[in-house]
Amino acid sequence: MLQPIERLQLLQKLLKIERDEDFNQYKEYFSRNNINYRKQNGVTWYPVIITNTEIGLGEYLTLDIERTTNHNEPHQFTGGKNAALFSNTHEDAQPVNGIIKVINPNKIRLSLNIDELPDWCDDGKLGINLLFDENSYREMNIALEKVINASNNRLATLRDIMYGIIPPTFNRIDNPVFIDRLNKSQNEAVQKIIAAQAIAIIHGPPGTGKTTTLVQAIRQTLKTEKQILVCSSSNTAVDLLTEKLHREGINVLRLGNPARISEEVLMNTLDAKMAAHESYKELKKYRKTAEEYFRMAGKYKRTFGREEREQRQLLYAEGRKILNDARALEDYIFDDQFDKAQVIACTPVVSAGKMMRNKHFSTVFIDEAAQALEPMCWIPVTRSDRVIFAGDHFQLPPTVKSRQAETEGLSITLFEQCMRLQNISIMLNIQYRMNELIMNFSNKKFYKNELIADISVKDHVLSYNADEYILNAPIDFIDTAGCGYNEITNPESLSIANPEEAQLLIKHLKLLLEQYVQGNKTGHEITIGIISPYKEQVQYITTKIDEDEELKRFRSCIAIKTVDGFQGQERDVIYISLVRSNDLREIGFLNDIRRMNVALTRARKKLVVIGDSATLANHPFYKDFLDYIESINAYKSAWEFMG
């Protein structure tokens, strides 16, 4: 087994390999795919218009950009990422790069580090591309260097504890806190966190209330600490924690950019808090006055005499003086927000930004830690004395694009590594989401049968009426073996679809909705998720459902995404389209059984899995799944739904 420094040096090497592979894939993707395909995959908006230009905080030029078509289509733009404004008319025009400050479904606020826009911005036909994310790799490398070089300090101690060189220690708690709204295992997790001197872990399987437990643990920690750092590599997870902490009355400062545009999240952002500050009107007044002085100074031309030149210099000097006053006031408002915040919530990369350069914390909470690369987790750890991880290493793993980096160990997370340590983790064991039959397969395969379905969900189904055969069964596996539903590969994207399997899914969905509408006396609107591991299949199903007249009235309650898009979410009904059907019995992405665990555990009352057993059964995980389906009498043949 590698020593800590050897492992960290290996990570540096693997991170370089991963960065190069990521960049090559980015370049290849943009050269291989046209603008329309990039739009469909959410990495390009085109056409867009600039609706507003202004000088924002920190003297950067800020643009408000809005897409004029394809409204509300999913995309991959998120706050903090780099993006480039480009012209589709001027081939020689250099794109203008910036950082996404605010993101709405159809609007982006882009912060640039230039004084004025190029002329081609006035000629229309503008678009915006997502850029390669170099900053994340740079910050991960810096963090690894700090950890490698740490010696005789707190970071060196944390490193040696996480690598099993030094045993973790816990304080004795004579009067344990019991929180009424938490169950036994959730309360035990909070106690473990309070007692931990260096590290503790909340292991939260699907539906077990990990976020609820985390929020209560943060509340308890704030009783003894003035300010803590809360991170997750997922913007959505940071937003969810921000919302829940805000509702508990905790002052949260959300740095970076929210993915969820809810009032609770927006009002906690730095921009919103600064705008609400009592001195902000004075700051705006300073800026307006300074701009007026600069405007007046600009009226004086070079041909003016000495007196006019002196007057212009005086105007410029006065403008600069007022601008300096504005900056000083801005710094005061800025510092005031940081001082008042009990929780600073952000992604790990943002925690390394210039706003946080001199900050150090007693405790950092890292949510969804099992989804983050080890170097990513080290970024906030280097800023803290104590680390609390939350997550589940049997759900989504981190994304690693280089096969070499993955096989040599980059995919092993710090969370997984720490789970091997004795006595530092508590698994939450009561789940409040799924019918017991939906839970049981994952429970056996991943959680040693230690999960218990709460009585409130144990037997719940869409209908208890025996005649409503689709609604009263919690699971259906619909087998397409022998139907000739063969997968096809898109030569542009290299992603895979199975159109006939998609049509079968839609047919079953219509039958389910028909039964539900006929029998639904409560008026409760059903929620439905459709999951496929393949983007091509997601796109195909989305198009077909959007074109279907019968399904239009239900469209608002149907979400169609890849597995990753449903992380942390749940629906009344989940459909999973497995897609793979071929003579070679290759299953590709389906080999990633942790992703499949996520897909299988999103449904509350009804799970429908559609796939080809002949292709799947060679893999031990899917063979066990098919055996489980047989054991609970949930097997159906696709032939039953034809005609």
Side-chain angles (χ1 to χ4, degrees), residues 264-301:
E264 283 96 337
V265 174
L266 282 177
M267 71 197 304
N268 288 285
T269 60
L270 182 60
D271 283 358
K273 281 180 175 281
M274 289 191 75
H277 195 276
E278 57 192 13
S279 300
Y280 188 71
K281 283 183 181 174
E282 192 180 349
L283 174 63
K284 284 186 79 173
K285 188 177 167 186
Y286 274 143
R287 287 190 177 284
K288 194 172 180 183
T289 307
E291 282 175 10
E292 186 62 25
Y293 273 108
F294 289 140
R295 190 185 62 76
M296 287 190 293
K299 286 182 178 178
Y300 289 94
K301 307 296 179 191

Side-chain angles (χ1 to χ4, degrees), residues 15-181:
L15 198 61
K16 169 78 167 61
I17 293 167
E18 173 69 4
R19 183 258 168 223
D20 292 345
E21 176 61 25
D22 194 3
F23 184 59
N24 288 336
Q25 285 187 23
Y26 170 84
K27 282 198 303 187
E28 187 187 339
Y29 178 86
F30 269 80
S31 62
R32 187 176 71 227
N33 295 306
N34 61 34
I35 201 166
N36 285 328
Y37 189 82
R38 298 201 313 266
K39 280 166 64 177
Q40 285 174 11
N41 278 276
V43 296
T44 297
W45 282 10
Y46 180 85
V48 299
I49 55 169
I50 298 170
T51 57
N52 187 41
T53 307
E54 62 184 49
I55 299 290
L57 294 174
E59 303 306 304
Y60 290 123
L61 188 63
T62 302
L63 305 183
D64 288 341
I65 295 165
E66 195 170 329
R67 53 179 170 181
T68 56
T69 60
N70 303 91
H71 285 161
N72 299 318
E73 278 195 358
H75 59 78
Q76 297 182 44
F77 290 82
T78 58
K81 286 195 175 180
N82 294 318
L85 185 70
F86 67 88
S87 166
N88 207 29
T89 27
H90 299 265
E91 287 184 15
D92 56 341
Q94 283 297 312
V96 177
N97 295 353
I99 297 172
I100 299 170
K101 289 287 290 174
V102 179
I103 183 81
N104 290 318
N106 301 303
K107 294 178 185 176
I108 283 175
R109 177 162 287 177
L110 196 65
S111 178
L112 312 174
N113 56 0
I114 55 173
D115 297 320
E116 58 181 339
L117 289 172
D119 293 339
W120 51 259
C121 288
D122 299 327
D123 297 340
K125 295 202 173 176
L126 301 177
I128 186 165
N129 284 328
L130 203 54
L131 290 179
F132 179 70
D133 183 12
E134 187 72 65
N135 187 43
S136 294
Y137 288 102
R138 184 168 56 249
E139 294 298 348
M140 284 191 279
N141 244 320
I142 291 168
L144 286 175
E145 276 294 323
K146 284 183 187 172
V147 184
I148 288 168
N149 294 321
S151 178
N152 298 317
N153 60 13
R154 185 59 181 167
L155 181 56
T157 303
L158 285 175
R159 176 193 66 206
D160 291 346
I161 290 171
M162 290 191 202
Y163 277 97
I165 307 296
I166 302 173
T169 52
F170 295 83
N171 296 319
R172 181 177 163 175
I173 299 178
D174 295 323
N175 298 305
V177 176
F178 183 83
I179 301 162
D180 287 344
R181 66 180 101 170

Side-chain angles (χ1 to χ4, degrees), residues 79-82 133-141 229 231-235 238 255-256 346-357 375-380 383:
K81 286 195 175 180
N82 294 318
D133 183 12
E134 187 72 65
N135 187 43
S136 294
Y137 288 102
R138 184 168 56 249
E139 294 298 348
M140 284 191 279
N141 244 320
L229 176 62
C231 284
S232 171
S233 55
S234 150
N235 266 301
V238 179
L255 297 182
C346 59
T347 60
V349 173
V350 171
S351 78
K354 63 179 182 181
M355 291 185 286
M356 297 277 280
R357 284 280 145 83
M376 185 64 79
C377 279
W378 281 117
I379 298 172
R383 304 185 167 277

Side-chain angles (χ1 to χ4, degrees), residues 458-477:
K458 185 180 177 187
D459 300 313
H460 67 179
V461 286
L462 292 170
S463 170
Y464 295 97
N465 182 341
D467 295 332
E468 294 174 341
Y469 65 98
I470 290 181
L471 305 182
N472 64 27
I475 305 183
D476 288 335
F477 174 77

